[in-house]
Amino acid sequence: MHTAFLPNLHFQPHLFTQVSALYLSPSCYILLLLPLSSALNLGVYIQCPGLCHIVLVWTPPTLTKRPSSKIQINRESHLFSLCDDGRICPWLLKAARYSCGPTVYDHAHLGHACSYVRFDILQRTLSKIFGINVIHVMVITDIDDKIIRRSLEEKVSPTVLARMYEEDFKEDMLALKVIPPVVYMRVTDNIPPIVAFIERIIKNGHAYATATGDVYFDVGSISHRYGKLMSMGETVGESEETGKRDSRDFALWKAAKPQEPFWESPWGPGRPGWHIECSTVASSVFGSQLDIHSGGIDLAFPHHENEIAQCEAHHQCQQWGNYFLHSGHLHLKGSAEKMSKSLKNYITIKDFLQSYNANEFRLFCLLTKYRSGIEYSDRSMSEARSSLATISSFTHDAQAYMKGHLLCQPIDEAVLWQRLASTQTTVRAALADDFDTPRAVDAIMTLIHQCNCQLQTVTKECPGAPLCLGLCWATSET
C-alpha cells in the first residue's frame, strides 16, 4: 500500500529506505519502516479511523521515583542505566521523547531556534555519546486563537495559513541542521482521538461539560497531585472563562464561536483546548508512559502541568512522564524580557541566517547550559564565530599533518594520548551531568590549545603522523 493512503501520518519519508503497509482490516494496518539510521529502528502499528492510534515499538522504561527536570546518566538513573563496566545496558537503548512544536501563524524567530537547537544537541548527545536511540514525536499546533486571528487579518483560511507557516518552520529547522522528528502530527488531523481522550477523562471523573458546550478539567479532583511544575512558571488560571467550578480549571474543549473553525463533538460543535492536544498526541504514540518531554521554560506551567494532569487522569496512572526538560529563554542584550512576537523584540531565523550560519548559532547554544537563559548580541555571536574558527583551523592543521603536508616540530605522542584520554573522560562526565555542554566545550577547546602548541610549524618535514592527533581531531569534530 502506498503512503498516499495514510494521509494523517506525517513522518519524514527521507529517513527511511522503504515504507510498506500490511492491510489487516478496514480499521487496522501494520506500517513497516526500514530506516536509514539505526536510531530509527522501529515498527509502527496504526489503528483507524483517522489513523488516530500509533504505537512505536520501543523498550518500556522503568518509572523514576518522581518526574525530574534534570537527567543524570549514571547507575542510579532508571531510564539511562549503566552496566558495571560503564556501558549503557543493552536493553535500555531507546527513549520516547515528545516535544511541543510550533503554533504556526508566523515566521519562527531566534527564541524558537534556541530551544529547538538545544534539544537537538541533547538528542544527538544521547544518541552519539551514550548510544540511546531517541524516538521523537512533535505536534504541530495548526488551530489556535492566534491562527484564527491572523487568518481573519490576512483574509485566508486558517488551514492555508497554518500549512504555509508549518512548511516555513520545517525549512528553518533544516537550515539550522535540526534533526526532524520521526513523525510530525497536526492537531487538526487528530480531532477524533482528542474527543475520545476527553470522553475518557470525563468518564474517570476528572472533567465536566457546561451547558454552553465547553468542557473543563476538574483540577479539584486531583488537587493533592496538581502543581508539580508550578514553581517553574506563572500561576495563572483561565479566569476569564465562565461556567467553571474552580478558577484553576482549564478548557479541554471550547464551544464554537462565530467565524471560527469547528468540529462536531458530544458536547456540540467546537475545537480542542490548547493542553489537550499534546496529551492526546503523546499518548496516541507512546501510551501511558513517556520518557522525555521537552519545551521552553515558559511552557512548564501551566501547559506541561496540565498535560501531566490530563494524561494521569486519562490513563489512571501514578506517573506519566519521567523527565521534563525545559530550555531557558533567549533575550537580547540589555533586556530582561524573552524574545517573543508579542513584545516585537524578535529576529526571524531567516533574517539571522543572512549574517551568521547554522554552525555558529549551534556553537552559540553550546556555550551555555540548556536550562539557562542565554543573552543574544553581536558580541556573543562573534565569540561563537571565533571559537568555531579556532576549531576549524585546528581541524585543517590536523588533517594537513595527518597527510604529511604540515611542516612542524616532533609530536610528543605520550603527552597527547594522556590529554586525549583525560579530555574524553571530562567530556563524557560533563554531558552525563544534565548535558553540561559549556564544560564539555571548554575541555575540547583546552585540548585544541594543547595540540596547537605541538603543531608549531618549522622548516623541516614532519615525521609520520601519530594516530593520537587524528583522534584529537575527531574529538573536536564530534
Side-chain angles (χ1 to χ4, degrees):
M1 178 178 289
H2 192 270
T3 54
F5 291 93
L6 307 175
N8 292 341
L9 183 63
H10 304 288
F11 66 94
Q12 300 298 302
H14 62 278
L15 297 178
F16 302 96
T17 59
Q18 180 178 341
V19 179
S20 59
L22 174 63
Y23 174 85
L24 298 182
S25 73
S27 63
C28 187
Y29 296 91
I30 296 289
L31 181 69
L32 302 175
L33 310 177
L34 300 182
L36 295 173
S37 167
S38 60
L40 300 175
N41 185 19
L42 55 95
V44 183
Y45 168 79
I46 301 180
Q47 188 177 34
C48 294
L51 301 177
C52 60
H53 190 65
I54 305 173
V55 179
L56 302 183
V57 179
W58 58 289
T59 304
T62 304
L63 280 173
T64 58
K65 293 182 179 179
R66 60 185 177 84
S68 175
S69 60
K70 299 180 182 179
I71 288 184
Q72 305 292 330
I73 305 178
N74 53 39
R75 289 182 178 82
E76 287 69 44
S77 172
H78 290 273
L79 176 59
F80 307 110
S81 298
L82 299 185
C83 301
D84 290 340
D85 60 1
R87 295 179 296 105
I88 298 289
C89 292
W91 57 87
L92 291 173
L93 291 179
K94 291 186 176 67
R97 175 192 166 205
Y98 173 82
S99 64
C100 298
T103 300
V104 282
Y105 71 99
D106 204 344
H107 298 291
H109 57 64
L110 282 190
H112 303 128
C114 185
S115 181
Y116 291 117
V117 166
R118 281 170 150 182
F119 287 122
D120 180 68
I121 290 168
L122 266 57
Q123 179 166 321
R124 289 172 185 266
T125 298
L126 289 173
S127 175
K128 294 186 176 183
I129 305 299
F130 299 104
I132 298 168
N133 296 334
V134 180
I135 308 302
H136 177 207
V137 172
M138 179 184 291
V139 74
I140 298 291
T141 300
D142 59 343
I143 185 64
D144 175 85
D145 292 340
K146 295 175 181 177
I147 293 173
I148 293 170
R149 284 197 297 269
R150 185 67 178 271
S151 69
L152 292 173
E153 293 171 0
E154 301 290 334
K155 294 181 172 57
V156 297
S157 76
T159 300
V160 170
L161 182 81
R163 294 294 182 273
M164 178 176 68
Y165 285 115
E166 176 185 332
E167 293 308 312
D168 186 78
F169 168 78
K170 292 175 181 177
E171 290 173 3
D172 284 343
M173 293 300 102
L174 289 175
L176 291 171
K177 301 184 179 180
V178 173
I179 299 173
V182 172
V183 59
Y184 286 106
M185 298 182 72
R186 300 187 188 118
V187 173
T188 57
D189 289 339
N190 287 273
I191 300 300
I194 288 174
V195 170
F197 202 91
I198 295 172
E199 288 182 301
R200 174 64 65 86
I201 294 175
I202 293 174
K203 181 180 179 181
N204 290 344
H206 297 291
Y208 57 91
T210 68
T212 57
D214 296 306
V215 180
Y216 293 102
F217 188 90
D218 183 3
V219 173
S221 69
I222 60 160
S223 57
H224 62 292
R225 297 171 57 189
Y226 188 79
K228 299 179 181 72
L229 305 177
M230 189 175 292
S231 62
M232 302 180 71
E234 300 178 3
T235 55
V236 179
E238 299 174 347
S239 56
E240 74 279 2
E241 300 183 22
T242 60
K244 297 194 296 184
R245 298 173 183 173
D246 188 307
S247 63
R248 298 174 301 170
D249 294 351
F250 52 90
L252 303 181
W253 187 261
K254 297 182 177 183
K257 297 178 182 178
Q259 295 186 303
E260 286 190 355
F262 64 85
W263 290 262
E264 295 298 331
S265 79
W267 318 286
R271 58 186 174 90
W274 175 31
H275 316 297
I276 195 66
E277 64 189 50
C278 290
S279 293
T280 303
V281 167
S283 296
S284 71
V285 176
F286 298 119
S288 61
Q289 184 106 62
L290 181 68
D291 296 327
I292 302 171
H293 194 309
S294 59
I297 186 62
D298 54 318
L299 299 179
F301 191 90
H303 184 51
H304 292 169
E305 182 71 49
N306 291 345
E307 284 186 61
I308 294 172
Q310 292 166 156
C311 287
E312 293 180 359
H314 177 275
H315 298 296
Q316 294 186 298
C317 61
Q318 292 300 307
Q319 181 172 309
W320 169 60
N322 285 344
Y323 295 91
F324 282 77
L325 307 183
H326 298 105
S327 59
H329 288 315
L330 181 142
H331 56 92
L332 296 174
K333 183 177 181 180
S335 172
E337 300 287 351
K338 69 172 183 176
M339 184 175 289
S340 72
K341 294 172 185 174
S342 60
L343 296 174
K344 301 186 185 303
N345 63 346
Y346 64 91
I347 301 169
T348 67
I349 295 171
K350 286 178 173 54
D351 287 344
F352 169 83
L353 291 175
Q354 296 295 316
S355 302
Y356 301 97
N357 64 41
N359 285 341
E360 290 166 345
F361 185 73
R362 294 178 71 87
L363 188 57
F364 165 76
C365 292
L366 282 166
L367 295 176
T368 56
K369 293 184 178 180
Y370 76 93
R371 290 184 293 109
S372 302
I374 185 169
E375 183 178 85
Y376 174 83
S377 67
D378 287 338
R379 180 176 179 179
S380 60
M381 284 306 306
S382 294
E383 291 173 357
R385 175 175 280 175
S386 176
S387 296
L388 188 63
T390 298
I391 295 172
S392 298
S393 177
F394 167 71
T395 299
H396 178 270
D397 289 347
Q399 288 176 320
Y401 180 86
M402 295 297 293
K403 295 175 182 178
H405 298 163
L406 184 67
L407 301 180
C408 63
Q409 63 186 359
I411 298 295
D412 189 337
E413 286 195 53
V415 171
L416 278 185
W417 276 114
Q418 181 181 15
R419 288 172 177 171
L420 173 61
S422 175
T423 301
Q424 289 174 327
T425 299
T426 300
V427 168
R428 188 178 177 89
L431 296 177
D433 183 14
D434 198 32
F435 309 102
D436 190 346
T437 57
R439 183 152 56 105
V441 170
D442 183 65
I444 292 172
M445 297 304 291
T446 299
L447 175 65
I448 289 174
H449 171 73
Q450 293 167 343
C451 290
N452 282 337
C453 289
Q454 296 215 38
L455 285 174
Q456 298 296 319
T457 57
V458 294
T459 57
K460 62 181 180 179
E461 291 190 3
C462 294
L467 175 62
C468 56
L469 190 62
L471 290 175
C472 291
W473 158 63
T475 297
S476 69
E477 284 290 278
T478 302

